[in-house]
Amino acid sequence: NAGVTQTPKFQVLKTGQSMTLQCAQDMNHEYMSWYRQDPGMGLRLIHYSVGAGITDQGEVPNGYNVSRSTTEDFPLRLLSAAPSQTSVYFCASTRARGPGEQYFGPGTRLTVT
Amino acid sequence: AQSVTQLDSHVSVSEGTPVLLRCNYSSSYSPSLFWYVQHPNKGLQLLLKYTSAATLVKGINGFEAEFKKSETSFHLTKPSAHMSDAAEYFCVVSDPGKAAGNKLTFGGGTRVLVKP
């Protein structure tokens, strides 16, 4: 199994541009989520999904959209990039609705100039 | 609402000496608690988890943590640090609500430096 994969690894955007961060998992996990990591703040939840067709907002959802058309994929869209969205983005998945281990992707480092 | 406070942003230890990483949490429910490790430029890996069974939890690579409800703490320890333990460590609490059972709240992280 590849586990959780994310593309791209690095991205530089100009203010106002849009882009999609890709996330895929091959473990048939129901639950997927997106986090952003900023220095000294740990990881903060952006959006999550408990299954195909179901998404919900996390702690910091503004400026981001998600959709979940398949169990495997959970893309994160930046509609109009802003410098405040410069961060490292992690996708995670888990099989259970209970407090099980989450499996994290390797991350995408995004810089918005 | 739940929150996690890691009391030290940086910890420096000598190789072979004990490591202590401190974590306090706040939760309205009986929490599930985790420690994750992140090596430089890598994703996060689960070290150990507490889910209301034994209060002393053993994890990978010789780490363990003790859940103390009276102190709302979940400190991480290792008897003897190794150079490969240099990383950032996150204490995490899980929201035990129904569909939100997997929503994680992270502490700010503790960066561990191991000196030879």
Side-chain angles (χ1 to χ4, degrees), chain A residues 23-32 49 51-53 68-74 93:
Chain A
C23 173
Q25 52 90 10
D26 61 359
M27 298 173 283
N28 202 32
H29 286 172
E30 288 183 313
Y31 188 96
M32 296 184 73
S49 168
R68 184 97 179 269
S69 56
T70 67
T71 299
E72 294 78 20
D73 300 299
F74 191 44
S93 74

mmCIF file of all heavy atoms in Angstrom, chain A residues 23-32 49 51-53 68-74 93:
data_model
loop_
_atom_site.group_PDB
_atom_site.id
_atom_site.type_symbol
_atom_site.label_atom_id
_atom_site.label_comp_id
_atom_site.label_asym_id
_atom_site.label_seq_id
_atom_site.Cartn_x
_atom_site.Cartn_y
_atom_site.Cartn_z
ATOM 1 N N CYS A 23 -4.920 14.765 -2.615
ATOM 2 C CA CYS A 23 -4.702 13.783 -1.558
ATOM 3 C C CYS A 23 -5.411 12.496 -1.955
ATOM 4 O O CYS A 23 -6.583 12.537 -2.354
ATOM 5 C CB CYS A 23 -5.233 14.281 -0.227
ATOM 6 S SG CYS A 23 -5.164 13.030 1.088
ATOM 7 N N ALA A 24 -4.713 11.378 -1.814
ATOM 8 C CA ALA A 24 -5.318 10.082 -2.105
ATOM 9 C C ALA A 24 -4.842 9.064 -1.086
ATOM 10 O O ALA A 24 -3.717 9.148 -0.603
ATOM 11 C CB ALA A 24 -4.943 9.627 -3.520
ATOM 12 N N GLN A 25 -5.735 8.115 -0.771
ATOM 13 C CA GLN A 25 -5.347 7.019 0.120
ATOM 14 C C GLN A 25 -5.890 5.704 -0.455
ATOM 15 O O GLN A 25 -6.966 5.670 -1.049
ATOM 16 C CB GLN A 25 -5.850 7.257 1.559
ATOM 17 C CG GLN A 25 -7.329 7.569 1.706
ATOM 18 C CD GLN A 25 -8.227 6.373 1.904
ATOM 19 O OE1 GLN A 25 -7.748 5.248 2.125
ATOM 20 N NE2 GLN A 25 -9.527 6.596 1.843
ATOM 21 N N ASP A 26 -5.109 4.649 -0.251
ATOM 22 C CA ASP A 26 -5.474 3.347 -0.796
ATOM 23 C C ASP A 26 -5.796 2.338 0.289
ATOM 24 O O ASP A 26 -5.639 1.124 0.086
ATOM 25 C CB ASP A 26 -4.373 2.829 -1.726
ATOM 26 C CG ASP A 26 -3.048 2.639 -1.009
ATOM 27 O OD1 ASP A 26 -2.955 2.930 0.207
ATOM 28 O OD2 ASP A 26 -2.089 2.198 -1.673
ATOM 29 N N MET A 27 -6.232 2.829 1.451
ATOM 30 C CA MET A 27 -6.517 1.954 2.589
ATOM 31 C C MET A 27 -8.016 1.793 2.829
ATOM 32 O O MET A 27 -8.414 1.223 3.847
ATOM 33 C CB MET A 27 -5.826 2.529 3.834
ATOM 34 C CG MET A 27 -4.310 2.566 3.677
ATOM 35 S SD MET A 27 -3.467 3.415 5.033
ATOM 36 C CE MET A 27 -3.787 5.127 4.607
ATOM 37 N N ASN A 28 -8.831 2.336 1.934
ATOM 38 C CA ASN A 28 -10.288 2.252 2.052
ATOM 39 C C ASN A 28 -10.800 2.912 3.336
ATOM 40 O O ASN A 28 -11.768 2.442 3.945
ATOM 41 C CB ASN A 28 -10.771 0.795 1.973
ATOM 42 C CG ASN A 28 -12.228 0.701 1.559
ATOM 43 O OD1 ASN A 28 -12.728 1.535 0.805
ATOM 44 N ND2 ASN A 28 -12.925 -0.293 2.083
ATOM 45 N N HIS A 29 -10.128 3.984 3.732
ATOM 46 C CA HIS A 29 -10.535 4.700 4.944
ATOM 47 C C HIS A 29 -11.728 5.595 4.672
ATOM 48 O O HIS A 29 -11.784 6.290 3.651
ATOM 49 C CB HIS A 29 -9.376 5.556 5.457
ATOM 50 C CG HIS A 29 -8.301 4.742 6.099
ATOM 51 N ND1 HIS A 29 -7.090 5.300 6.476
ATOM 52 C CD2 HIS A 29 -8.238 3.447 6.465
ATOM 53 C CE1 HIS A 29 -6.349 4.365 7.028
ATOM 54 N NE2 HIS A 29 -7.020 3.227 7.033
ATOM 55 N N GLU A 30 -12.692 5.581 5.613
ATOM 56 C CA GLU A 30 -13.867 6.444 5.486
ATOM 57 C C GLU A 30 -13.513 7.900 5.763
ATOM 58 O O GLU A 30 -13.990 8.814 5.112
ATOM 59 C CB GLU A 30 -14.942 6.020 6.485
ATOM 60 C CG GLU A 30 -15.651 4.726 6.164
ATOM 61 C CD GLU A 30 -16.739 4.466 7.189
ATOM 62 O OE1 GLU A 30 -16.466 4.601 8.395
ATOM 63 O OE2 GLU A 30 -17.867 4.142 6.776
ATOM 64 N N TYR A 31 -12.728 8.116 6.788
ATOM 65 C CA TYR A 31 -12.514 9.470 7.312
ATOM 66 C C TYR A 31 -11.243 10.057 6.730
ATOM 67 O O TYR A 31 -10.172 9.443 6.799
ATOM 68 C CB TYR A 31 -12.405 9.402 8.836
ATOM 69 C CG TYR A 31 -12.370 10.743 9.518
ATOM 70 C CD1 TYR A 31 -13.519 11.309 10.044
ATOM 71 C CD2 TYR A 31 -11.171 11.446 9.658
ATOM 72 C CE1 TYR A 31 -13.482 12.536 10.685
ATOM 73 C CE2 TYR A 31 -11.138 12.667 10.294
ATOM 74 C CZ TYR A 31 -12.288 13.219 10.810
ATOM 75 O OH TYR A 31 -12.249 14.429 11.437
ATOM 76 N N MET A 32 -11.364 11.253 6.139
ATOM 77 C CA MET A 32 -10.195 11.973 5.645
ATOM 78 C C MET A 32 -10.267 13.419 6.114
ATOM 79 O O MET A 32 -11.358 13.966 6.321
ATOM 80 C CB MET A 32 -10.109 11.903 4.114
ATOM 81 C CG MET A 32 -9.907 10.487 3.590
ATOM 82 S SD MET A 32 -9.700 10.393 1.804
ATOM 83 C CE MET A 32 -8.030 11.049 1.620
ATOM 84 N N SER A 49 -13.933 14.890 6.120
ATOM 85 C CA SER A 49 -14.996 14.145 5.449
ATOM 86 C C SER A 49 -15.149 12.787 6.134
ATOM 87 O O SER A 49 -14.156 12.112 6.398
ATOM 88 C CB SER A 49 -14.653 13.942 3.975
ATOM 89 O OG SER A 49 -15.516 12.998 3.382
ATOM 90 N N GLY A 51 -17.026 10.399 4.762
ATOM 91 C CA GLY A 51 -17.335 9.426 3.718
ATOM 92 C C GLY A 51 -17.587 10.152 2.416
ATOM 93 O O GLY A 51 -17.719 11.386 2.378
ATOM 94 N N ALA A 52 -17.658 9.399 1.344
ATOM 95 C CA ALA A 52 -17.898 9.995 0.028
ATOM 96 C C ALA A 52 -19.190 10.795 0.035
ATOM 97 O O ALA A 52 -20.217 10.331 0.530
ATOM 98 C CB ALA A 52 -17.945 8.903 -1.034
ATOM 99 N N GLY A 53 -19.097 12.015 -0.464
ATOM 100 C CA GLY A 53 -20.253 12.891 -0.549
ATOM 101 C C GLY A 53 -20.547 13.694 0.701
ATOM 102 O O GLY A 53 -21.461 14.518 0.717
ATOM 103 N N ARG A 68 -15.678 15.367 -1.872
ATOM 104 C CA ARG A 68 -15.284 13.957 -1.713
ATOM 105 C C ARG A 68 -16.202 13.123 -2.604
ATOM 106 O O ARG A 68 -17.263 12.656 -2.195
ATOM 107 C CB ARG A 68 -15.447 13.546 -0.244
ATOM 108 C CG ARG A 68 -14.983 12.128 0.046
ATOM 109 C CD ARG A 68 -13.610 12.076 0.590
ATOM 110 N NE ARG A 68 -13.163 10.735 0.899
ATOM 111 C CZ ARG A 68 -13.321 10.158 2.098
ATOM 112 N NH1 ARG A 68 -13.941 10.801 3.076
ATOM 113 N NH2 ARG A 68 -12.872 8.936 2.297
ATOM 114 N N SER A 69 -15.777 12.939 -3.840
ATOM 115 C CA SER A 69 -16.598 12.184 -4.784
ATOM 116 C C SER A 69 -16.300 10.689 -4.716
ATOM 117 O O SER A 69 -17.140 9.869 -5.118
ATOM 118 C CB SER A 69 -16.399 12.704 -6.202
ATOM 119 O OG SER A 69 -15.035 12.666 -6.549
ATOM 120 N N THR A 70 -15.128 10.321 -4.221
ATOM 121 C CA THR A 70 -14.769 8.916 -4.079
ATOM 122 C C THR A 70 -14.200 8.690 -2.680
ATOM 123 O O THR A 70 -13.777 9.640 -2.008
ATOM 124 C CB THR A 70 -13.722 8.467 -5.100
ATOM 125 O OG1 THR A 70 -12.482 9.137 -4.819
ATOM 126 C CG2 THR A 70 -14.160 8.782 -6.530
ATOM 127 N N THR A 71 -14.144 7.444 -2.260
ATOM 128 C CA THR A 71 -13.534 7.129 -0.963
ATOM 129 C C THR A 71 -12.046 7.475 -0.964
ATOM 130 O O THR A 71 -11.498 7.889 0.041
ATOM 131 C CB THR A 71 -13.710 5.635 -0.649
ATOM 132 O OG1 THR A 71 -15.093 5.340 -0.587
ATOM 133 C CG2 THR A 71 -13.057 5.252 0.680
ATOM 134 N N GLU A 72 -11.390 7.301 -2.130
ATOM 135 C CA GLU A 72 -9.938 7.411 -2.178
ATOM 136 C C GLU A 72 -9.409 8.841 -2.178
ATOM 137 O O GLU A 72 -8.329 9.106 -1.680
ATOM 138 C CB GLU A 72 -9.410 6.715 -3.432
ATOM 139 C CG GLU A 72 -9.618 5.207 -3.466
ATOM 140 C CD GLU A 72 -11.033 4.813 -3.820
ATOM 141 O OE1 GLU A 72 -11.767 5.642 -4.403
ATOM 142 O OE2 GLU A 72 -11.430 3.675 -3.497
ATOM 143 N N ASP A 73 -10.138 9.772 -2.763
ATOM 144 C CA ASP A 73 -9.583 11.098 -3.033
ATOM 145 C C ASP A 73 -10.273 12.203 -2.239
ATOM 146 O O ASP A 73 -11.497 12.194 -2.080
ATOM 147 C CB ASP A 73 -9.712 11.413 -4.532
ATOM 148 C CG ASP A 73 -8.985 10.410 -5.391
ATOM 149 O OD1 ASP A 73 -7.754 10.311 -5.234
ATOM 150 O OD2 ASP A 73 -9.644 9.716 -6.181
ATOM 151 N N PHE A 74 -9.478 13.171 -1.806
ATOM 152 C CA PHE A 74 -10.012 14.290 -1.019
ATOM 153 C C PHE A 74 -9.206 15.546 -1.344
ATOM 154 O O PHE A 74 -8.323 15.958 -0.604
ATOM 155 C CB PHE A 74 -9.934 13.945 0.467
ATOM 156 C CG PHE A 74 -10.683 14.900 1.372
ATOM 157 C CD1 PHE A 74 -11.947 15.346 1.053
ATOM 158 C CD2 PHE A 74 -10.114 15.319 2.572
ATOM 159 C CE1 PHE A 74 -12.638 16.202 1.892
ATOM 160 C CE2 PHE A 74 -10.802 16.181 3.421
ATOM 161 C CZ PHE A 74 -12.068 16.617 3.080
ATOM 162 N N SER A 93 -5.913 10.277 7.003
ATOM 163 C CA SER A 93 -7.079 9.400 6.881
ATOM 164 C C SER A 93 -7.085 8.385 8.009
ATOM 165 O O SER A 93 -6.042 8.087 8.608
ATOM 166 C CB SER A 93 -7.084 8.676 5.528
ATOM 167 O OG SER A 93 -6.102 7.644 5.496
#
